[in-house]
Amino acid sequence: DQPSNIVLNLYDIRGSKVKTLLNEHRKAGSHEFIFDGANMASGVYFYSMTSNGVTKTKKLVLMK
């Protein structure tokens, strides 16, 4: 596998982008990202990761 640009975005429940968490070139393989939601309100969010033209979106529930 070739290295590619990875983009990880966070969206609120309405679909508005809250922030870009990651936008960098990475080698193929497994990677870990630690999310700090300390300054964010509790609620439902969605994170979307795009790599090699493929986008995957998952739900995230932030509870404080």
Side-chain angles (χ1 to χ4, degrees), residues 27-55:
K27 291 189 236 176
S30 295
H31 298 276
E32 185 175 300
F33 179 83
I34 298 173
F35 170 71
D36 181 9
N39 296 326
M40 297 177 60
S42 295
V44 177
Y45 295 87
F46 295 91
Y47 61 95
S48 179
M49 185 177 84
T50 303
S51 174
N52 292 327
V54 177
T55 301

PDB file of all heavy atoms in Angstrom, residues 27-55:
ATOM      1  N   LYS A  27       1.786   6.908   6.256  1.00  0.00           N
ATOM      2  CA  LYS A  27       2.091   5.625   5.640  1.00  0.00           C
ATOM      3  C   LYS A  27       0.922   4.679   5.835  1.00  0.00           C
ATOM      4  O   LYS A  27       0.132   4.838   6.762  1.00  0.00           O
ATOM      5  CB  LYS A  27       3.327   5.004   6.276  1.00  0.00           C
ATOM      6  CG  LYS A  27       4.614   5.714   5.992  1.00  0.00           C
ATOM      7  CD  LYS A  27       5.755   4.874   6.505  1.00  0.00           C
ATOM      8  CE  LYS A  27       6.589   5.687   7.468  1.00  0.00           C
ATOM      9  NZ  LYS A  27       7.651   4.912   8.069  1.00  0.00           N
ATOM     10  N   ALA A  28       0.834   3.681   4.994  1.00  0.00           N
ATOM     11  CA  ALA A  28      -0.214   2.661   5.136  1.00  0.00           C
ATOM     12  C   ALA A  28      -0.008   1.909   6.443  1.00  0.00           C
ATOM     13  O   ALA A  28       1.106   1.750   6.916  1.00  0.00           O
ATOM     14  CB  ALA A  28      -0.164   1.703   3.962  1.00  0.00           C
ATOM     15  N   GLY A  29      -1.104   1.468   7.058  1.00  0.00           N
ATOM     16  CA  GLY A  29      -1.024   0.704   8.294  1.00  0.00           C
ATOM     17  C   GLY A  29      -1.996   1.230   9.334  1.00  0.00           C
ATOM     18  O   GLY A  29      -2.802   2.105   9.066  1.00  0.00           O
ATOM     19  N   SER A  30      -1.892   0.709  10.521  1.00  0.00           N
ATOM     20  CA  SER A  30      -2.755   1.123  11.627  1.00  0.00           C
ATOM     21  C   SER A  30      -2.171   2.339  12.323  1.00  0.00           C
ATOM     22  O   SER A  30      -0.954   2.415  12.535  1.00  0.00           O
ATOM     23  CB  SER A  30      -2.903  -0.005  12.645  1.00  0.00           C
ATOM     24  OG  SER A  30      -3.564  -1.096  12.058  1.00  0.00           O
ATOM     25  N   HIS A  31      -3.040   3.258  12.685  1.00  0.00           N
ATOM     26  CA  HIS A  31      -2.627   4.463  13.392  1.00  0.00           C
ATOM     27  C   HIS A  31      -3.638   4.742  14.492  1.00  0.00           C
ATOM     28  O   HIS A  31      -4.780   4.291  14.437  1.00  0.00           O
ATOM     29  CB  HIS A  31      -2.558   5.666  12.440  1.00  0.00           C
ATOM     30  CG  HIS A  31      -1.567   5.488  11.351  1.00  0.00           C
ATOM     31  ND1 HIS A  31      -0.237   5.756  11.504  1.00  0.00           N
ATOM     32  CD2 HIS A  31      -1.716   5.044  10.078  1.00  0.00           C
ATOM     33  CE1 HIS A  31       0.394   5.498  10.373  1.00  0.00           C
ATOM     34  NE2 HIS A  31      -0.489   5.057   9.492  1.00  0.00           N
ATOM     35  N   GLU A  32      -3.223   5.520  15.475  1.00  0.00           N
ATOM     36  CA  GLU A  32      -4.086   5.862  16.601  1.00  0.00           C
ATOM     37  C   GLU A  32      -4.220   7.370  16.683  1.00  0.00           C
ATOM     38  O   GLU A  32      -3.258   8.111  16.446  1.00  0.00           O
ATOM     39  CB  GLU A  32      -3.459   5.337  17.887  1.00  0.00           C
ATOM     40  CG  GLU A  32      -4.300   5.521  19.106  1.00  0.00           C
ATOM     41  CD  GLU A  32      -3.657   4.866  20.315  1.00  0.00           C
ATOM     42  OE1 GLU A  32      -3.443   3.648  20.299  1.00  0.00           O
ATOM     43  OE2 GLU A  32      -3.365   5.603  21.274  1.00  0.00           O
ATOM     44  N   PHE A  33      -5.434   7.839  17.000  1.00  0.00           N
ATOM     45  CA  PHE A  33      -5.672   9.266  17.184  1.00  0.00           C
ATOM     46  C   PHE A  33      -6.399   9.443  18.509  1.00  0.00           C
ATOM     47  O   PHE A  33      -7.410   8.790  18.767  1.00  0.00           O
ATOM     48  CB  PHE A  33      -6.526   9.823  16.036  1.00  0.00           C
ATOM     49  CG  PHE A  33      -6.824  11.288  16.185  1.00  0.00           C
ATOM     50  CD1 PHE A  33      -5.904  12.222  15.776  1.00  0.00           C
ATOM     51  CD2 PHE A  33      -8.009  11.714  16.759  1.00  0.00           C
ATOM     52  CE1 PHE A  33      -6.152  13.576  15.930  1.00  0.00           C
ATOM     53  CE2 PHE A  33      -8.272  13.059  16.910  1.00  0.00           C
ATOM     54  CZ  PHE A  33      -7.341  14.003  16.490  1.00  0.00           C
ATOM     55  N   ILE A  34      -5.878  10.305  19.375  1.00  0.00           N
ATOM     56  CA  ILE A  34      -6.510  10.557  20.665  1.00  0.00           C
ATOM     57  C   ILE A  34      -7.302  11.851  20.555  1.00  0.00           C
ATOM     58  O   ILE A  34      -6.762  12.904  20.234  1.00  0.00           O
ATOM     59  CB  ILE A  34      -5.466  10.632  21.792  1.00  0.00           C
ATOM     60  CG1 ILE A  34      -4.748   9.288  21.895  1.00  0.00           C
ATOM     61  CG2 ILE A  34      -6.126  11.023  23.110  1.00  0.00           C
ATOM     62  CD1 ILE A  34      -3.589   9.263  22.851  1.00  0.00           C
ATOM     63  N   PHE A  35      -8.601  11.742  20.829  1.00  0.00           N
ATOM     64  CA  PHE A  35      -9.515  12.876  20.726  1.00  0.00           C
ATOM     65  C   PHE A  35      -9.753  13.465  22.106  1.00  0.00           C
ATOM     66  O   PHE A  35     -10.083  12.750  23.048  1.00  0.00           O
ATOM     67  CB  PHE A  35     -10.836  12.402  20.105  1.00  0.00           C
ATOM     68  CG  PHE A  35     -11.929  13.417  20.159  1.00  0.00           C
ATOM     69  CD1 PHE A  35     -11.877  14.541  19.363  1.00  0.00           C
ATOM     70  CD2 PHE A  35     -13.017  13.246  20.996  1.00  0.00           C
ATOM     71  CE1 PHE A  35     -12.892  15.483  19.416  1.00  0.00           C
ATOM     72  CE2 PHE A  35     -14.031  14.169  21.050  1.00  0.00           C
ATOM     73  CZ  PHE A  35     -13.962  15.302  20.247  1.00  0.00           C
ATOM     74  N   ASP A  36      -9.583  14.777  22.237  1.00  0.00           N
ATOM     75  CA  ASP A  36      -9.833  15.470  23.493  1.00  0.00           C
ATOM     76  C   ASP A  36     -11.043  16.379  23.314  1.00  0.00           C
ATOM     77  O   ASP A  36     -10.963  17.423  22.677  1.00  0.00           O
ATOM     78  CB  ASP A  36      -8.608  16.288  23.904  1.00  0.00           C
ATOM     79  CG  ASP A  36      -8.801  17.024  25.221  1.00  0.00           C
ATOM     80  OD1 ASP A  36      -9.817  16.785  25.907  1.00  0.00           O
ATOM     81  OD2 ASP A  36      -7.930  17.846  25.557  1.00  0.00           O
ATOM     82  N   GLY A  37     -12.166  15.977  23.865  1.00  0.00           N
ATOM     83  CA  GLY A  37     -13.396  16.758  23.744  1.00  0.00           C
ATOM     84  C   GLY A  37     -13.683  17.583  24.984  1.00  0.00           C
ATOM     85  O   GLY A  37     -14.833  17.950  25.236  1.00  0.00           O
ATOM     86  N   ALA A  38     -12.662  17.905  25.767  1.00  0.00           N
ATOM     87  CA  ALA A  38     -12.844  18.629  27.025  1.00  0.00           C
ATOM     88  C   ALA A  38     -13.514  19.986  26.831  1.00  0.00           C
ATOM     89  O   ALA A  38     -14.262  20.435  27.696  1.00  0.00           O
ATOM     90  CB  ALA A  38     -11.498  18.800  27.732  1.00  0.00           C
ATOM     91  N   ASN A  39     -13.259  20.649  25.732  1.00  0.00           N
ATOM     92  CA  ASN A  39     -13.815  21.978  25.495  1.00  0.00           C
ATOM     93  C   ASN A  39     -15.076  21.946  24.636  1.00  0.00           C
ATOM     94  O   ASN A  39     -15.478  22.983  24.105  1.00  0.00           O
ATOM     95  CB  ASN A  39     -12.768  22.873  24.822  1.00  0.00           C
ATOM     96  CG  ASN A  39     -11.578  23.113  25.714  1.00  0.00           C
ATOM     97  OD1 ASN A  39     -11.715  23.197  26.927  1.00  0.00           O
ATOM     98  ND2 ASN A  39     -10.404  23.206  25.134  1.00  0.00           N
ATOM     99  N   MET A  40     -15.684  20.789  24.516  1.00  0.00           N
ATOM    100  CA  MET A  40     -16.869  20.643  23.678  1.00  0.00           C
ATOM    101  C   MET A  40     -18.074  20.262  24.534  1.00  0.00           C
ATOM    102  O   MET A  40     -17.928  19.667  25.593  1.00  0.00           O
ATOM    103  CB  MET A  40     -16.625  19.570  22.612  1.00  0.00           C
ATOM    104  CG  MET A  40     -15.510  19.927  21.661  1.00  0.00           C
ATOM    105  SD  MET A  40     -15.176  18.630  20.475  1.00  0.00           S
ATOM    106  CE  MET A  40     -16.747  18.526  19.663  1.00  0.00           C
ATOM    107  N   ALA A  41     -19.260  20.592  24.040  1.00  0.00           N
ATOM    108  CA  ALA A  41     -20.498  20.245  24.737  1.00  0.00           C
ATOM    109  C   ALA A  41     -20.800  18.760  24.560  1.00  0.00           C
ATOM    110  O   ALA A  41     -20.452  18.163  23.540  1.00  0.00           O
ATOM    111  CB  ALA A  41     -21.647  21.077  24.183  1.00  0.00           C
ATOM    112  N   SER A  42     -21.439  18.184  25.557  1.00  0.00           N
ATOM    113  CA  SER A  42     -21.912  16.801  25.430  1.00  0.00           C
ATOM    114  C   SER A  42     -22.910  16.730  24.288  1.00  0.00           C
ATOM    115  O   SER A  42     -23.625  17.691  24.020  1.00  0.00           O
ATOM    116  CB  SER A  42     -22.601  16.350  26.719  1.00  0.00           C
ATOM    117  OG  SER A  42     -21.691  16.305  27.778  1.00  0.00           O
ATOM    118  N   GLY A  43     -22.969  15.593  23.619  1.00  0.00           N
ATOM    119  CA  GLY A  43     -23.929  15.429  22.539  1.00  0.00           C
ATOM    120  C   GLY A  43     -23.469  14.418  21.522  1.00  0.00           C
ATOM    121  O   GLY A  43     -22.472  13.721  21.713  1.00  0.00           O
ATOM    122  N   VAL A  44     -24.218  14.355  20.436  1.00  0.00           N
ATOM    123  CA  VAL A  44     -23.924  13.423  19.351  1.00  0.00           C
ATOM    124  C   VAL A  44     -23.146  14.160  18.265  1.00  0.00           C
ATOM    125  O   VAL A  44     -23.542  15.247  17.843  1.00  0.00           O
ATOM    126  CB  VAL A  44     -25.216  12.822  18.769  1.00  0.00           C
ATOM    127  CG1 VAL A  44     -24.904  11.909  17.590  1.00  0.00           C
ATOM    128  CG2 VAL A  44     -25.979  12.059  19.843  1.00  0.00           C
ATOM    129  N   TYR A  45     -22.067  13.571  17.834  1.00  0.00           N
ATOM    130  CA  TYR A  45     -21.225  14.104  16.768  1.00  0.00           C
ATOM    131  C   TYR A  45     -20.984  12.989  15.759  1.00  0.00           C
ATOM    132  O   TYR A  45     -21.240  11.821  16.037  1.00  0.00           O
ATOM    133  CB  TYR A  45     -19.879  14.590  17.318  1.00  0.00           C
ATOM    134  CG  TYR A  45     -19.994  15.753  18.264  1.00  0.00           C
ATOM    135  CD1 TYR A  45     -20.206  15.554  19.625  1.00  0.00           C
ATOM    136  CD2 TYR A  45     -19.882  17.056  17.799  1.00  0.00           C
ATOM    137  CE1 TYR A  45     -20.314  16.619  20.494  1.00  0.00           C
ATOM    138  CE2 TYR A  45     -19.976  18.135  18.666  1.00  0.00           C
ATOM    139  CZ  TYR A  45     -20.193  17.913  20.013  1.00  0.00           C
ATOM    140  OH  TYR A  45     -20.296  18.970  20.861  1.00  0.00           O
ATOM    141  N   PHE A  46     -20.468  13.349  14.617  1.00  0.00           N
ATOM    142  CA  PHE A  46     -20.061  12.375  13.611  1.00  0.00           C
ATOM    143  C   PHE A  46     -18.628  12.684  13.209  1.00  0.00           C
ATOM    144  O   PHE A  46     -18.256  13.847  13.090  1.00  0.00           O
ATOM    145  CB  PHE A  46     -20.975  12.442  12.376  1.00  0.00           C
ATOM    146  CG  PHE A  46     -22.380  12.044  12.677  1.00  0.00           C
ATOM    147  CD1 PHE A  46     -23.322  12.981  13.050  1.00  0.00           C
ATOM    148  CD2 PHE A  46     -22.763  10.712  12.622  1.00  0.00           C
ATOM    149  CE1 PHE A  46     -24.621  12.616  13.353  1.00  0.00           C
ATOM    150  CE2 PHE A  46     -24.060  10.333  12.921  1.00  0.00           C
ATOM    151  CZ  PHE A  46     -24.987  11.286  13.284  1.00  0.00           C
ATOM    152  N   TYR A  47     -17.835  11.643  13.039  1.00  0.00           N
ATOM    153  CA  TYR A  47     -16.485  11.837  12.513  1.00  0.00           C
ATOM    154  C   TYR A  47     -16.399  11.139  11.171  1.00  0.00           C
ATOM    155  O   TYR A  47     -16.992  10.090  10.953  1.00  0.00           O
ATOM    156  CB  TYR A  47     -15.402  11.369  13.483  1.00  0.00           C
ATOM    157  CG  TYR A  47     -15.442   9.906  13.851  1.00  0.00           C
ATOM    158  CD1 TYR A  47     -14.654   8.994  13.152  1.00  0.00           C
ATOM    159  CD2 TYR A  47     -16.228   9.447  14.899  1.00  0.00           C
ATOM    160  CE1 TYR A  47     -14.665   7.649  13.495  1.00  0.00           C
ATOM    161  CE2 TYR A  47     -16.248   8.106  15.245  1.00  0.00           C
ATOM    162  CZ  TYR A  47     -15.465   7.217  14.538  1.00  0.00           C
ATOM    163  OH  TYR A  47     -15.479   5.893  14.871  1.00  0.00           O
ATOM    164  N   SER A  48     -15.679  11.764  10.270  1.00  0.00           N
ATOM    165  CA  SER A  48     -15.568  11.273   8.905  1.00  0.00           C
ATOM    166  C   SER A  48     -14.101  11.230   8.518  1.00  0.00           C
ATOM    167  O   SER A  48     -13.393  12.229   8.660  1.00  0.00           O
ATOM    168  CB  SER A  48     -16.344  12.222   7.987  1.00  0.00           C
ATOM    169  OG  SER A  48     -16.254  11.801   6.657  1.00  0.00           O
ATOM    170  N   MET A  49     -13.646  10.069   8.063  1.00  0.00           N
ATOM    171  CA  MET A  49     -12.257   9.914   7.641  1.00  0.00           C
ATOM    172  C   MET A  49     -12.209   9.616   6.152  1.00  0.00           C
ATOM    173  O   MET A  49     -12.936   8.745   5.662  1.00  0.00           O
ATOM    174  CB  MET A  49     -11.577   8.773   8.397  1.00  0.00           C
ATOM    175  CG  MET A  49     -10.101   8.678   8.064  1.00  0.00           C
ATOM    176  SD  MET A  49      -9.246   7.404   8.996  1.00  0.00           S
ATOM    177  CE  MET A  49      -9.600   5.980   7.999  1.00  0.00           C
ATOM    178  N   THR A  50     -11.371  10.354   5.447  1.00  0.00           N
ATOM    179  CA  THR A  50     -11.194  10.157   4.014  1.00  0.00           C
ATOM    180  C   THR A  50      -9.741   9.791   3.729  1.00  0.00           C
ATOM    181  O   THR A  50      -8.820  10.454   4.213  1.00  0.00           O
ATOM    182  CB  THR A  50     -11.568  11.431   3.225  1.00  0.00           C
ATOM    183  OG1 THR A  50     -12.912  11.776   3.535  1.00  0.00           O
ATOM    184  CG2 THR A  50     -11.426  11.215   1.732  1.00  0.00           C
ATOM    185  N   SER A  51      -9.569   8.728   2.942  1.00  0.00           N
ATOM    186  CA  SER A  51      -8.247   8.269   2.524  1.00  0.00           C
ATOM    187  C   SER A  51      -8.385   7.594   1.170  1.00  0.00           C
ATOM    188  O   SER A  51      -9.297   6.780   0.979  1.00  0.00           O
ATOM    189  CB  SER A  51      -7.687   7.284   3.549  1.00  0.00           C
ATOM    190  OG  SER A  51      -6.476   6.728   3.094  1.00  0.00           O
ATOM    191  N   ASN A  52      -7.526   7.944   0.249  1.00  0.00           N
ATOM    192  CA  ASN A  52      -7.535   7.340  -1.096  1.00  0.00           C
ATOM    193  C   ASN A  52      -8.903   7.450  -1.764  1.00  0.00           C
ATOM    194  O   ASN A  52      -9.358   6.529  -2.433  1.00  0.00           O
ATOM    195  CB  ASN A  52      -7.098   5.876  -1.052  1.00  0.00           C
ATOM    196  CG  ASN A  52      -5.642   5.715  -0.699  1.00  0.00           C
ATOM    197  OD1 ASN A  52      -4.815   6.545  -1.047  1.00  0.00           O
ATOM    198  ND2 ASN A  52      -5.318   4.648  -0.003  1.00  0.00           N
ATOM    199  N   GLY A  53      -9.602   8.559  -1.543  1.00  0.00           N
ATOM    200  CA  GLY A  53     -10.886   8.783  -2.182  1.00  0.00           C
ATOM    201  C   GLY A  53     -12.045   8.040  -1.555  1.00  0.00           C
ATOM    202  O   GLY A  53     -13.163   8.094  -2.040  1.00  0.00           O
ATOM    203  N   VAL A  54     -11.803   7.335  -0.444  1.00  0.00           N
ATOM    204  CA  VAL A  54     -12.851   6.585   0.248  1.00  0.00           C
ATOM    205  C   VAL A  54     -13.152   7.289   1.572  1.00  0.00           C
ATOM    206  O   VAL A  54     -12.247   7.594   2.341  1.00  0.00           O
ATOM    207  CB  VAL A  54     -12.416   5.129   0.526  1.00  0.00           C
ATOM    208  CG1 VAL A  54     -13.475   4.390   1.310  1.00  0.00           C
ATOM    209  CG2 VAL A  54     -12.111   4.420  -0.783  1.00  0.00           C
ATOM    210  N   THR A  55     -14.434   7.550   1.832  1.00  0.00           N
ATOM    211  CA  THR A  55     -14.845   8.220   3.068  1.00  0.00           C
ATOM    212  C   THR A  55     -15.706   7.290   3.908  1.00  0.00           C
ATOM    213  O   THR A  55     -16.628   6.656   3.400  1.00  0.00           O
ATOM    214  CB  THR A  55     -15.647   9.502   2.746  1.00  0.00           C
ATOM    215  OG1 THR A  55     -14.832  10.367   1.963  1.00  0.00           O
ATOM    216  CG2 THR A  55     -16.079  10.218   4.013  1.00  0.00           C
TER     217      THR A  55
END
